Amino acid sequence: MGLRQDMPTEAIESWLREDREDRLQALWRSADAVRREHVGDAVHLRGLIEISNVCVRSCAYCGLRAPNRDIDRYRMSEAEIMDCVAKAVEFGYGTVVMQAGEDPGIECEWLSRIISRIKSETPLAVTLSLGERPMDDLRAWREAGADRYLLRFETSDRALYDAIHPPLPGRVSDRIVMLREIKALGYEAGSGVLIGLPGQTYRSLAEDIALFRELDLDMIGVGPYIPHPDTPLGQQVACQSPVSWSVPPTEQMAYKVVALARIVRPDANIPSTTALATINQVEGRELGLQRGANVVMPNLTPPEYRMRYEIYPGKACVGETAEQCRTCLRGRIESIGRTIGLGQGGRAKMAV
Ligand code: SAH
């Protein structure tokens, strides 16, 4: 089995099914070498601001889904967001990521003004992760200065996607089409998938990884699916036994996808995600960084809101302040001999 960037989908699938320890060690080493060669040892820090947990969608996997009445909804004010932005500058982060549920209450002009302020008052890159907004909004935000947009396609299996990600009435939801449009607007485009969704086949996960390459993604964020008890999928999982053709939502499967993503997209920015840190609180972050990842996303959301942004239960770092997150992540990065990235850390043009 080769480990080339152009490896066929069948080879990707074989790696996803691989469980021999020596072969997996070879996969980790190979991904780590590709990471070092193409994006270097710097770990870029993206300060995450979860600006609203209001959501109009009904995704079967996500705790923020509109029908979930058990969460206390919030939307941050401009002043609160700018306080988080100031912390990002103070902490030396290169980017802020504004993420939210799909919240039409985040008005286009309101956010355009905030983006313009960040771009004129700070040296930060601005990343948005706000779901399936109208293209006119995305165009306006790009014109206001936003640099990057994150939109996971979650799975490329259309039947599974439709089952877990219903569109709003009268609309269609095609995130793969949207990603091409996002790139055409001049954004750096990020996407990714959930690993171990009930009913996800090895073949479809291999196709997801091949699609990372075909879409030439600038950023790839993946993590294990973590069941949320107040969601239809979470309730279904509780009474299901695992089947051999369905990908398990395990830590090891997540590392395999991180490593293979690195191999097929050598210069992409790949975070070691919070979901990984959640299923292995001891060293999930570090292992992600040693198996292909080169980015982490310290949380800047004020603690009182952070607890309410519960896309899945038990999320790592929920009880921490922005300062604690910064210190903890710095320590983890330095403990594995890596350095903190300087500057915005956009699509890799390796500084030599
Ligand atoms: N509303 C935005 C942001 C959603 S949160 C959007 O839809 O793009 C960001 C990501 O969290 C999602 O894309 C999804 O992949 C992930 N996520 C949601 N629920 C999850 C769960 N139960 N387990 C693991 N990851 C989850």
Side-chain angles (χ1 to χ4, degrees):
M1 284 189 285
L3 280 164
R4 294 160 46 119
Q5 183 184 357
D6 61 356
M7 66 205 282
T9 309
E10 295 71 37
I12 300 175
E13 184 180 343
S14 303
W15 277 109
L16 293 173
R17 293 178 181 277
E18 181 61 71
D19 56 12
R20 286 167 293 179
E21 193 49 40
D22 58 327
R23 301 291 296 153
L24 290 175
Q25 290 300 333
L27 176 62
W28 314 145
R29 273 198 306 277
S30 176
D32 200 41
V34 173
R35 186 269 308 154
R36 187 174 311 113
E37 182 188 340
H38 290 267
V39 294
D41 278 338
V43 176
H44 293 285
L45 304 176
R46 325 290 203 201
L48 178 65
I49 314 174
E50 294 153 333
I51 63 175
S52 162
N53 69 354
V54 177
C55 191
V56 293
R57 301 296 292 269
S58 300
C59 303
Y61 47 87
C62 182
L64 301 189
R65 65 199 308 273
N68 187 357
R69 308 250 171 259
D70 288 337
I71 49 174
D72 199 4
R73 305 280 174 171
Y74 70 88
R75 182 179 306 120
M76 288 172 67
S77 68
E78 176 174 344
E80 288 171 323
I81 294 172
M82 292 310 290
D83 283 347
C84 295
V85 168
K87 283 211 170 88
V89 174
E90 182 195 330
F91 294 168
Y93 300 166
T95 302
V96 280
V97 181
M98 290 189 270
Q99 191 182 79
E102 201 166 300
D103 176 10
I106 297 175
E107 287 166 1
C108 181
E109 281 176 28
W110 176 80
L111 191 65
S112 291
R113 189 174 67 240
I114 294 174
I115 295 165
S116 308
R117 281 192 63 190
I118 301 172
K119 295 304 291 184
S120 64
E121 295 171 23
T122 79
L124 299 173
V126 171
T127 302
L128 304 176
S129 173
L130 305 170
E132 294 159 52
R133 298 285 303 216
M135 272 305 136
D136 286 346
D137 292 0
L138 296 188
R139 188 173 300 108
W141 294 333
R142 175 80 189 120
E143 282 163 9
D147 301 280
R148 309 180 188 138
Y149 203 91
L150 300 177
L151 187 72
R152 290 188 179 180
F153 60 78
E154 316 293 4
T155 170
S156 62
D157 175 337
R158 190 69 219 189
L160 180 58
Y161 180 79
D162 288 342
I164 62 170
H165 193 91
L168 287 172
R171 303 268 187 86
V172 284
S173 166
D174 193 331
R175 290 185 163 205
I176 297 168
V177 168
M178 276 192 74
L179 282 162
R180 296 189 206 273
E181 293 172 344
I182 285 166
K183 286 178 64 157
L185 287 173
Y187 283 100
E188 284 187 25
S191 192
V193 294
L194 288 162
I195 300 161
L197 284 165
Q200 184 177 43
T201 62
Y202 284 89
R203 178 71 197 182
S204 81
L205 184 55
E207 283 168 0
D208 296 347
I209 296 168
L211 190 57
F212 297 161
R213 174 173 57 199
E214 187 193 322
L215 290 170
D216 190 32
L217 294 176
D218 302 299
M219 300 163 287
I220 301 166
V222 296
Y225 162 62
I226 300 172
H228 189 304
D230 301 327
T231 61
L233 208 59
Q235 284 157 10
Q236 179 189 323
V237 167
C239 52
Q240 248 180 8
S241 49
V243 281
S244 63
W245 53 266
S246 189
V247 173
T250 57
E251 188 184 351
Q252 187 170 80
M253 191 61 66
Y255 299 134
K256 289 184 196 173
V257 180
V258 169
L260 292 163
R262 171 59 67 200
I263 289 162
V264 302
R265 278 292 301 112
D267 64 358
N269 281 312
I270 302 181
S272 185
T273 54
T274 306
L276 251 182
T278 300
I279 57 169
N280 178 351
Q281 308 233 353
V282 179
E283 55 172 3
R285 284 263 195 222
E286 290 88 331
L287 289 175
L289 289 171
Q290 292 174 311
R291 295 172 177 182
N294 72 321
V295 165
V296 292
M297 297 173 65
N299 201 318
L300 288 169
T301 312
E304 68 269 28
Y305 295 139
R306 199 182 285 207
M307 299 164 62
R308 287 144 75 180
Y309 196 83
E310 199 190 54
I311 49 186
Y312 50 79
K315 214 166 110 198
C317 325
V318 160
E320 293 182 0
T321 63
E323 287 75 5
Q324 286 165 332
C325 250
R326 174 205 195 200
T327 311
C328 163
L329 288 175
R330 260 182 183 277
R332 288 178 187 267
I333 291 165
E334 285 162 4
S335 77
I336 56 168
R338 301 275 280 278
T339 55
I340 308 276
L342 301 172
Q344 295 187 346
R347 182 161 187 163
K349 294 162 210 75
M350 246 194 74
V352 273

